[in-house]
Amino acid sequence: MTAGKHDTGAEDRATSCSQNEVNRKLKYISLAVLVVQNASLILSIRYVRTLPGERFFSTSAVVMAEVLKVCTCLVIILLQKRFNLKETLHLLLNSIVFQYRDTLKLAIPALIYTLQNNLQYIAISNLPAATFQVTYQLKILTTALFSVLMLKKSLSRVQWISLLLLFAGVAIVQVQQEGNKEASMANQNYMVGVVAVVISCLSSGFAGVYFEKILKGSSASVWIRNVQLGIFGTALGLLGLWWNDGAAVAERGFLFGYTGMVWCVIFNQAFGGLLVAMVVKYADNILKGFATSFSIIVSTVMSIFLFSFHVDLLFTAGAGLVIGAVYMYSLPRSPSSSVSSSSSSSSESSALPRTDRGVEMEAFLPNCGTNLL
């Protein structure tokens, strides 16, 4: 009897060790995926938006990405229902049409996300990829501030310090870029890019916190939520396309300027986030913070080779502060600070930016995935 228990215990330990080894490997895979998806999307958008010749319509790319996201979610829901079309349609009708009040709650986030997607194209078209990558980390600051104001979250002392370092780092990079005037190339306007990325960060922070606030306690699956968001996002994206490029699209066509590289960008936007959503559960907050920091380094190095980006001591100092701040912000809170208020004790990650907390939603929302990092 004792021998049997000993054998069972040994098997359990062996199974546990094997599972830990698998999880460790998955963490490293998650890190690689997060870095590659985050850096490649920004670099590829920068590349296709700076090629000589006539550009594709960014508004049509936003719409196309939304359509692909919705289609992907519908296929996943169908798979979950074992290809039972009747059950799938019943679920969609019940969740989207019959519970229309719940669906309408997503109109505001969808509007903000659509605006954010278009602003990111404008920002990346006018800023060097590395500068955008560094500046876009201001979304951590805006999300944290909106969390404190709207959700009454509390931040630890380390997080507040990291936010100050983040702001200082971004400010240094902007001073360096303003003095360098590197973005003053043909068809590029540095100030337009800066304004676009700042508004994008503000909208990202507000939308993420608002999304959390209105959907707290919701039982709907992430795929249903993304279908609801995608419906509004597609409609609003078409409205933006008509408003900004309607005449040109009518003359040249919806897919004007689409090349293989443009399609790669769109697929990266639509499906890259899904991949992140699948692997991010294996990555803790520290690993995700490290991935964000490493992706900044990757973007900077690749920008040197691809776009002849100039890195000097001032940019290095600013980017270093941002990288350190991102990592500091992702560190777990100490036990003493985690009990400071009942509203924040439910989850350490509740005050983290949307890219760390709601990656499953970020995957299909706007984001240059931003997303997701």
Side-chain angles (χ1 to χ4, degrees):
M1 189 74 175
T2 304
K5 289 182 178 179
H6 178 75
D7 291 341
T8 302
E11 289 178 3
D12 290 341
R13 285 193 296 273
T15 302
S16 177
C17 290
S18 176
Q19 186 62 43
N20 288 338
E21 182 64 24
V22 170
N23 288 339
R24 188 156 45 247
K25 290 180 179 179
L26 287 173
K27 279 190 175 184
Y28 289 118
I29 294 172
S30 300
L31 173 62
V33 170
L34 291 170
V35 171
V36 170
Q37 197 275 337
N38 193 33
S40 66
L41 181 58
I42 293 171
L43 290 169
S44 59
I45 291 178
R46 175 67 180 174
Y47 178 75
V48 297
R49 296 300 287 176
T50 54
L51 286 175
E54 295 183 296
R55 297 177 178 179
F56 65 98
F57 301 113
S58 60
T59 48
S60 75
V62 170
V63 173
M64 184 60 70
E66 289 297 324
V67 171
L68 290 175
K69 292 170 191 176
V70 172
C71 291
T72 303
C73 291
L74 291 175
V75 170
I76 292 174
I77 294 171
L78 189 61
L79 284 171
Q80 290 177 338
K81 294 298 179 181
R82 300 180 183 275
F83 294 98
N84 188 319
L85 190 58
K86 184 177 180 180
E87 284 189 18
T88 303
L89 290 174
H90 177 74
L91 174 64
L92 292 172
L93 281 172
N94 182 61
S95 302
I96 299 173
V97 179
F98 298 147
Q99 298 182 32
Y100 65 92
R101 291 183 179 178
D102 195 43
T103 301
L104 289 174
K105 289 180 180 179
L106 299 177
I108 293 179
L111 173 63
I112 297 173
Y113 291 150
T114 303
L115 173 65
Q116 182 185 340
N117 257 347
N118 284 282
L119 286 172
Q120 286 174 347
Y121 270 102
I122 295 172
I124 297 175
S125 298
N126 289 280
L127 295 176
T131 304
F132 172 84
Q133 182 83 315
V134 171
T135 309
Y136 193 56
Q137 301 314 311
L138 281 175
K139 64 186 177 185
I140 299 175
L141 172 63
T142 59
T143 303
L145 294 179
F146 279 120
S147 295
V148 171
L149 294 173
M150 296 173 61
L151 299 178
K152 308 302 180 184
K153 303 294 182 182
S154 65
L155 302 180
S156 67
R157 183 177 299 176
V158 171
Q159 286 178 317
W160 281 114
I161 294 173
S162 70
L163 293 178
L164 290 175
L165 291 177
L166 176 67
F167 184 80
V170 171
I172 290 173
V173 168
Q174 295 307 316
V175 170
Q176 183 269 345
Q177 287 292 292
E178 181 64 25
N180 202 25
K181 293 293 183 182
E182 183 165 350
S184 59
M185 297 167 58
N187 301 321
Q188 296 184 45
N189 188 313
Y190 183 77
M191 283 309 301
V192 169
V194 170
V195 171
V197 75
V198 169
I199 296 176
S200 182
C201 289
L202 286 170
S203 63
S204 174
F206 177 78
V209 175
Y210 179 84
F211 191 82
E212 178 184 354
K213 186 178 179 68
I214 65 175
L215 295 183
K216 238 174 185 177
S218 173
S219 59
S221 73
V222 64
W223 312 118
I224 290 293
R225 287 303 183 203
N226 279 299
V227 171
Q228 293 170 320
L229 281 163
I231 291 172
F232 284 116
T234 301
L236 292 167
L238 287 171
L239 182 62
L241 182 147
W242 171 79
W243 179 268
N244 194 61
D245 301 309
V249 170
E251 178 184 349
R252 300 180 179 182
F254 184 84
L255 301 180
F256 172 78
Y258 276 44
T259 62
M261 193 63 190
V262 173
W263 280 111
C264 287
V265 169
I266 293 173
F267 275 87
N268 195 345
Q269 271 193 307
F271 303 127
L274 171 60
L275 185 60
V276 171
M278 293 172 64
V279 304
V280 77
K281 63 181 178 181
Y282 299 108
D284 54 29
N285 287 327
I286 296 178
L287 193 63
K288 285 179 280 186
F290 182 75
T292 301
S293 302
F294 194 61
S295 68
I296 294 174
I297 298 174
V298 171
S299 296
T300 302
V301 173
M302 293 302 295
S303 293
I304 294 173
F305 292 101
L306 293 175
F307 311 115
S308 300
F309 182 70
H310 175 68
V311 176
D312 59 15
L313 185 60
L314 202 56
F315 180 89
T316 303
L321 281 175
V322 171
I323 290 171
V326 171
Y327 183 76
M328 284 177 60
Y329 192 89
S330 63
L331 291 174
R333 301 176 65 175
S334 63
S336 59
S337 62
S338 64
V339 296
S340 58
S341 71
S342 59
S343 63
S344 62
S345 62
S346 60
S347 171
E348 283 186 357
S349 63
S350 60
L352 292 175
R354 180 165 53 94
T355 49
D356 283 338
R357 297 192 64 250
V359 175
E360 287 183 313
M361 303 311 301
E362 178 80 10
F364 291 94
L365 308 180
N367 231 331
C368 262
T370 165
N371 109 284
L372 326 199
L373 294 170

